[in-house]
Amino acid sequence: MTLLTNKNKEIIEYLYTAERDVREVIKVTDEYLELTVKDAYELQHGLLARKLAEAGTKTVGVKLGLTSKAKQEMMGVNEAIYGYLHSDMLAFEWEAVCYSELIHPKVEPEIAFLLGKDLQGENVTEEDVLEATQYVAPALEVIDSRYKDFRFTLVDVVADNCSSAKFVVGSKWISPSTLDLGNVGMVMSKNGEVAQTGSSAAVLGHPATAIAWAVNELGARGKGLKKGDIILSGAITEAIAFKPGDSVIANFEGLGSVSMYCK
């Protein structure tokens, strides 16, 4: 690792306990100004290892972040980021999301990809992703930064597993060959009122392009995706905040809908 082992352990413990204890903390870079994005991914991997060992969960896929050009410009970067999905993050439409398990959650609409075969390499294309994808489905991702007031730098958010918290996947799974994934219209409503509208084109022009980027980044680190992995391809619109009693539904053209309720 780039940092001293004890420093890595200290940061990983800091982030792990913040999520476990459901409490917000000051961003890591307030103390460790020297951290780079490469360091952040090493910390993210260490945080993943800690969760796998301590929380009894397992990795079920990856998620993409900063997949819109507007968000990248806002953060002063020119590429997306990725984090990991764990089995204990999976929520279901028929079970309420418990607000007390979260700090200051928001929800965003995405398209989920389910791989039908392994995918690894450093020159993976959009076409390779689509060929390896067995099904796509509508999804909602709950993000919940552990940092105070949802304020962080790029390094901070990567180290914190890209604010990952929960995700819900709709019940309609279809072949990616049956629709134009590069232009799927979406309407997200909260408590019956339209909150966001958008298109999958906002995700780096095409969600599969975003996933290809992630696979190539993983490949450069000697990692890849496996058959059965779920990939959340990136937010189609800005996230919206929710609180107990709120219900959210996202309707996707050609993909159906996905919903969640918070208690």
Side-chain angles (χ1 to χ4, degrees), residues 201-217:
V203 184
L204 294 185
H206 195 295
T209 300
I211 294 174
W213 171 87
V215 174
N216 291 330
E217 288 294 303

Side-chain angles (χ1 to χ4, degrees), residues 48 59-62 82 84 115 117-122 124 211 214-227 229-231:
L48 170 66
T59 303
V60 295
V62 298
Y82 70 83
Y84 289 93
L115 292 186
K117 59 177 66 175
D118 294 354
L119 193 57
Q120 185 170 351
E122 296 184 50
V124 172
I211 294 174
V215 174
N216 291 330
E217 288 294 303
L218 287 165
R221 295 176 170 87
K223 305 179 187 301
L225 299 176
K226 300 294 185 183
K227 177 182 178 180
D229 276 354
I230 296 171
I231 303 100

Side-chain angles (χ1 to χ4, degrees), residues 38 68 92 190 199 218 237 262:
K38 180 181 178 182
S68 79
F92 301 98
K190 181 170 75 171
S199 164
L218 287 165
T237 68
C262 178

